[in-house]
Amino acid sequence: MRLARTIAAAAVLAATTCANAGTGPATISARARAVQAQAINLDTHLDTPGLFAQPGWKITDRHSYQTDGSQVDYPRMVEGGLDGGFWVIYTGQGTRDAAGNRQARDAGLRRLAEIREMVAANPDKFELATTADDAARIKAAGKKSVYISMENAYPLEQDPSLLRFYFKQGLRMLSLVHTSHNDFADSAGMGVAPAGEHGGLSAQGKALIAEANRLGILIDQSHASNAVFDQMLELSTAPIILSHSGAYDVFAHSRNIDDARIRALAAKGGVIQVNSLGGYLIDTGATPEYRAEMRKLWESMGNFDALTPEQRAQFRAQMEVLGAKYGIRKADFDDYMRHLLHIIEVAGWEHVGLGADWDGGGGVIGYEDITALPKVVQALLDAGYSDEQVQGILGGNVVRLLRQVQALADPQAVKAALE
Ligand SMILES: [Zn+2]
C-alpha cells in the first residue's frame, strides 16, 4: 500500500515536472500583479487585425488558442493585463508589378479600415492612440490602446505619398519589408539570408525613411536585412525600433539580430521588442522536405484570412500531423526567456520590450496566448530585475521611444499631413 502510494506520488511528481518543464512560473506573485497594474503594458506587434474580417470572429468574445488558434481578444487582454499595443496592417509580399502593387494598396487600405472599424464599434473598450501620452490616458480611462502600425510597406509601392494619408488615419509605426525583397528594401529572408537586391535600402526606401522621420513615425527594422539595419541606423534622424525580433547570438537565424547591432541600436536610443515565434527561437529541425510539404499545405488553404474558425482549427491539426511526421521540435517559455534575458543583458533594460507576434505566428509551449503575459513579469522579477526595470520592458520604454521620435518630427510636415 505504502509502496503503491509512493509509486503513485512519484508518477504524479514526474508528470508534474514534465508538464512544467520549460513552461515558466506556475504561480504569479502579488508583487508581479502590482508591477503590471502600474505599468503600461504594450505589445508592439499584434497581428490580430488579420482576424477582424473573419466570419464569426469577434474581438469582444473570448476565444481559445486550443479551439481556433487565436491569441488575443478583449477578454484575454483583460486577463493577461495587456493595455494595448501596435495593431498591424500586414500585407504578404506578392508580385512587384502594377497589378500586384494595386492589390497591395487596396489590401492595406482595407486592413486600415478594419482596424478603425473595430475601434469605432467598441468605444467603451478600445481607443485609437496616436501620441506617447495616449497610452497612460487610455489605460486610466479603463480602455485598451490601439496604435496602428504597418508590416511591409508593399501597400505604399503604388504611391509612397499615401504614407501621409495613413499617418492622418493614425499610423505611427512602419516596417519596410517582409520575408522577401521589395522595391524599398532587402529582406532578412526566412533562415538563410538571401543575396541583397538593393544592397540594403533602395532610393525609394531611403525616401520613405526620410518621410517617416518628418512625420514622427517609428521606423521598424524587423524582417529587414542587416544592411538595411545599418543604413536605417545611419540615415534615420530618430532612434529606430525592432518591433518583433530575437537574438542571433542565441539562435543563428537570419530573422534575428546580432549582439553588435543590438548594442549599436541601444547606443542610438532605439528599442528591440522580443519575438516569440518558435522557429526563430530554436532549431526546430525543419528539413527542406518538411518545408516543402508545409508550403503545399499553406497553398492548399488559399486565403488564410477568409477561413472560418473551424477551417483554421482543421488547418492547425494538419500542421500538427506534419510536425509529428518530421519530428519537428517546439520552442517553450524558457526558450523565449533565454532570448529576452540575453537581449536585456546586451542592450540594457531601457532598450527592450515585448513584441510577441501574437496571431502572426508567435507563441510557444507555456506562452500560448496573451493570458500568459504575467508569467514574463514573474520571470523577469525572478531574474532579479526591479519593478521599475520590468515596467520599462512591459511598455515604458516604447512609450519613451515614441515620445522621442515624435519630438524629432518636422512640425510643419505633421501639421500639413493632419490638415
Ligand atoms: Zn512579422
Side-chain angles (χ1 to χ4, degrees):
M1 189 69 196
R2 187 173 195 167
L3 181 67
R5 211 180 304 152
T6 309
I7 290 170
V12 168
L13 187 66
T16 312
T17 310
C18 190
N20 285 342
T23 59
T27 54
I28 306 301
S29 64
R31 179 183 167 205
R33 300 269 180 214
V35 164
Q36 236 194 321
Q38 284 160 22
I40 297 165
N41 304 262
L42 300 176
D43 184 290
T44 50
H45 198 79
L46 299 171
D47 269 317
T48 315
L51 299 168
F52 290 171
Q54 281 253 319
W57 197 92
K58 269 170 49 194
I59 189 93
T60 48
D61 288 344
R62 191 189 171 99
H63 308 79
S64 86
Y65 176 71
Q66 282 68 27
T67 309
D68 70 1
S70 73
Q71 297 170 306
V72 174
D73 51 42
Y74 180 78
R76 284 184 289 174
M77 287 175 78
V78 171
E79 185 181 327
L82 186 70
D83 299 313
F86 285 79
W87 302 68
V88 183
I89 298 170
Y90 163 70
T91 314
Q93 186 65 46
T95 57
R96 291 163 58 190
D97 51 22
N101 289 348
R102 272 197 306 277
Q103 261 179 32
R105 176 202 61 195
D106 293 350
L109 293 172
R110 239 185 343 261
R111 190 53 50 83
L112 170 70
E114 286 162 8
I115 295 172
R116 292 185 55 103
E117 281 165 6
M118 185 284 278
V119 176
N122 300 288
D124 55 329
K125 295 184 175 67
F126 291 94
E127 188 173 332
L128 194 67
T130 57
T131 70
D133 290 337
D134 281 347
R137 181 183 57 74
I138 293 169
K139 176 165 181 157
K143 294 189 271 187
K144 305 296 185 193
S145 297
V146 178
Y147 290 97
I148 300 175
S149 65
M150 182 180 281
E151 178 176 38
N152 193 4
Y154 186 26
L156 303 178
E157 286 188 358
Q158 175 84 3
D159 174 8
S161 76
L162 272 176
L163 186 62
R164 289 196 171 210
F165 171 79
Y166 275 100
F167 175 73
K168 190 174 182 180
Q169 298 304 314
L171 186 85
R172 292 296 179 269
M173 189 197 292
L174 173 70
S175 97
L176 263 52
V177 67
H178 195 237
T179 52
S180 51
H181 307 322
N182 64 16
D183 290 358
F184 295 116
D186 290 342
S187 168
M190 297 187 71
V192 180
E197 177 182 322
H198 310 290
L201 293 163
S202 69
Q204 292 118 292
K206 289 175 184 170
L208 208 57
I209 298 286
E211 178 74 340
N213 278 159
R214 275 192 288 274
L215 296 172
I217 293 173
L218 291 175
I219 295 164
D220 177 9
Q221 188 273 346
S222 288
H223 285 291
S225 72
N226 283 336
V228 169
F229 175 93
D230 298 341
Q231 291 167 16
M232 276 180 172
L233 215 56
E234 172 89 31
L235 287 173
S236 177
T237 55
I240 67 167
I241 190 166
L242 277 58
S243 71
H244 59 305
S245 288
Y248 187 86
D249 289 67
V250 175
F251 175 50
H253 188 289
S254 67
R255 251 298 264 127
N256 294 332
I257 193 91
D258 59 73
D259 284 359
R261 287 189 170 86
I262 293 174
R263 284 191 199 97
L265 172 81
K268 287 221 166 180
V271 174
I272 169 170
Q273 307 280 113
V274 182
N275 194 0
S276 72
L277 194 148
Y280 301 158
L281 299 178
I282 61 162
D283 179 4
T284 60
T287 58
E289 293 74 28
Y290 166 77
R291 287 185 212 275
E293 272 208 62
M294 185 59 99
R295 198 169 306 120
K296 241 187 266 165
L297 178 61
W298 271 96
E299 283 164 7
S300 73
M301 283 295 134
N303 179 11
F304 192 72
D305 286 350
L307 300 184
T308 63
E310 292 74 27
Q311 287 170 317
R312 281 179 174 238
Q314 202 184 358
F315 179 49
R316 282 185 344 105
Q318 285 174 288
M319 286 193 347
E320 288 288 325
V321 169
L322 205 56
K325 178 178 162 188
Y326 285 93
I328 300 300
R329 286 184 290 278
K330 288 182 176 178
D332 62 24
F333 182 84
D334 284 357
D335 295 316
Y336 181 61
M337 286 308 299
R338 203 168 296 122
H339 280 259
L340 179 56
L341 292 171
H342 176 86
I343 290 171
I344 296 170
E345 210 164 289
V346 174
W349 67 269
E350 301 100 321
H351 302 284
V352 184
L354 307 177
D357 208 357
W358 297 125
D359 293 317
V364 290
I365 295 169
Y367 196 50
E368 279 96 357
D369 70 10
I370 193 56
T371 61
L373 178 60
K375 283 179 157 184
V376 174
V377 182
Q378 187 64 55
L380 289 171
L381 292 173
D382 291 347
Y385 289 99
S386 71
D387 294 9
E388 183 205 1
Q389 291 169 332
V390 175
Q391 283 164 353
I393 292 160
L394 287 172
N397 295 335
V398 77
V399 168
R400 181 202 69 231
L401 177 68
L402 181 60
R403 182 170 291 116
Q404 206 174 344
V405 169
Q406 293 192 321
L408 290 166
D410 172 358
Q412 297 296 335
V414 171
K415 190 162 172 272
L418 293 178
E419 260 165 13

